[in-house]
Amino acid sequence: MVDNSKPLGIILWFTGLSGSGKTTLAEAVKASLKKINISVCILDGDIVRATNHQNLGFSESDIKSNNSLIVDMCVLERKKYDVVMVPIISPYRQSRNEALMELSPRFYEIYFSASLECVRRRDVKGLYDKADNGLINNMIGVSPNNEYQIPITPDFIINSEKDKLSTSVGDLFRFIVFQLKKYSGPHK
């Protein structure tokens, strides 16, 4: 049951190229936050798409629809959790601005900075290799029809190309705790 007397949780909208470390960092920070009794929900883009939005492809309109549907999920989840982390590529500024408008206040855009060369080297899902071999036509950040639009004024930047995971975990953890304190601390 949702307790409407609780303050709304904060939303951390992660954005960055595939392979920039969004989900990895979300999971690591979640573990750290749970140790201090902060409730966390992760709405991972891959899982949400596979379970709730299988009908959507990777055209610009489908990506924007997927992002909009995830905003709707955030509205519900933030009533139950102190922190909702949303690791998705979210390549379009328009979609991120719409999320900001719908979910403010307590919405933070977190940009995962990593060059295309870096994420190609990582290629944890094999997507860049598939795009290079013509098996994926609409690869975000690779296809000229599906560019990644870098955020202009993100609330926080994770440089996953240069910083160690442990450094990024600590930095994001402190950022989240600071934001929660601004809103009278986490709800229990």
Side-chain angles (χ1 to χ4, degrees), residues 53-129:
H53 309 148
Q54 310 93 317
N55 61 317
L56 296 174
F58 289 92
S59 67
E60 183 174 341
S61 63
D62 280 357
I63 291 168
K64 287 179 177 179
S65 292
N66 186 57
N67 284 198
S68 180
L69 292 165
I70 291 173
V71 167
D72 294 341
M73 295 173 77
C74 288
V75 169
L76 298 174
E77 296 303 318
R78 77 182 326 179
K79 294 175 184 177
K80 300 183 272 186
Y81 295 93
D82 299 312
V83 177
V84 177
M85 289 188 271
V86 185
I88 60 175
I89 297 172
S90 193
Y92 302 112
R93 287 186 193 111
Q94 177 186 348
S95 292
R96 296 190 302 261
N97 288 337
E98 288 170 2
L100 170 66
M101 301 270 290
E102 182 71 28
L103 299 170
S104 286
R106 303 178 187 186
F107 173 91
Y108 302 95
E109 181 182 60
I110 313 297
Y111 171 49
F112 281 68
S113 174
S115 68
L116 186 56
E117 294 75 26
C118 173
V119 295
R120 277 182 180 279
R121 279 192 308 272
R122 291 178 185 163
D123 204 8
V124 293
K125 300 174 189 171
L127 298 175
Y128 294 101
D129 188 47

Side-chain angles (χ1 to χ4, degrees), residues 9-12 14 24-42 81-86 108 110 168-181 185-188:
I10 66 172
I11 306 290
L12 296 144
F14 294 1
T24 300
L25 188 59
E27 293 291 346
V29 171
K30 178 180 179 178
S32 295
L33 291 169
K34 287 179 85 173
K35 289 178 183 175
I36 59 169
N37 297 317
I38 294 174
S39 61
V40 180
C41 172
I42 297 176
Y81 295 93
D82 299 312
V83 177
V84 177
M85 289 188 271
V86 185
Y108 302 95
I110 313 297
S168 296
V169 168
D171 290 347
L172 187 58
F173 174 85
R174 285 185 291 280
F175 175 81
I176 292 168
V177 170
F178 177 78
Q179 299 310 322
L180 288 169
K181 285 180 181 178
H187 51 272
K188 301 289 181 226

